[in-house]
Amino acid sequence: MSIQASFLSASTAVNYSRALGVNRIFSMSELQKRDRLSPEIFHKRLSSMTVSLQTGNHSETKREIDDLFALFGNHFIKPDELGFYIEQLYIRLQECVGELGSLTGSTASETGREDEGSGVIPPRVFTSVSDAESFVREAVDLYEQALENLRKSTLETRISRAVEIIEQRIGDKNFGLADICNELYLSVSQFSLIFKEGTGKTFLEYLTERRIEAAKKLLKSSDMKGYKIAEAVGFSDPRYFSIVFKKHCGMTAMQYRSSRSE
């Protein structure tokens, strides 16, 4: 081998060693034994990571990142290929951020924050796989925080709307779980999970409490008959209203009225 060819071979090996982030220099023969990383394998890993990101599975996302960078470290990867793959990952993260924005009807440009508001930082030149890994973990952390913020905001908005609907229809004896789910465009299971998480109560528990509170106000401020109050707060059966009222208040509706007038 000529001196020039030997120099080029050594220089190439040094570049690969730097990209891989190792503390020793590989020889060209060692590097040539490594299989090349195919784009198909990379995109398969990227798709898996995207799913775990979108579902908010933090532990699974961490494992996917571990697997992805183990893949980089175990394959024959050139420095420019490393930059290309990280750029592809960044683009996918940006797409995920855009999808989050579409859920809220807003965009980064509308907030005037662009990259800062998107929750993902732009890629740069990487000196090694470990350097690229640090970037990816930071970018994913920002995305996951944006997702968590959106989840909390969405939860608060839906709970607030659910409470409004309950207050508006508290006197409707036919109002039930299916009705509020239809108004919020949620399945029964979705709504039940969200409502329980947001209020600490089931829909029926919350609705019953609000109806009893409404009944207590009427008992205190009016001379309405018990069966009329029951009807006014959404109970179709006065006897059932009496049972529920006593269970919640420890006394009958009439006893409550008398105690309030003392």
Side-chain angles (χ1 to χ4, degrees), residues 77-89:
I77 185 167
K78 297 178 182 179
D80 58 337
E81 288 176 330
L82 174 62
F84 170 78
Y85 286 133
I86 300 304
E87 183 178 5
Q88 292 300 303
L89 193 152

Side-chain angles (χ1 to χ4, degrees), residues 165-166 169 172-186 188 191 203 207 211:
I165 294 170
I166 290 170
R169 301 189 60 179
D172 182 355
K173 65 181 181 181
N174 297 315
F175 176 60
L177 182 58
D179 300 298
I180 196 168
C181 290
N182 288 336
E183 290 206 39
L184 294 173
Y185 303 102
L186 292 171
V188 170
F191 172 77
F203 168 73
L207 177 61
R211 282 176 166 167

Side-chain angles (χ1 to χ4, degrees), residues 31-43:
L31 290 170
Q32 287 167 352
K33 291 177 184 177
R34 290 177 171 239
D35 294 329
R36 284 190 177 277
L37 173 61
S38 72
E40 292 78 12
I41 292 175
F42 167 75
H43 284 290

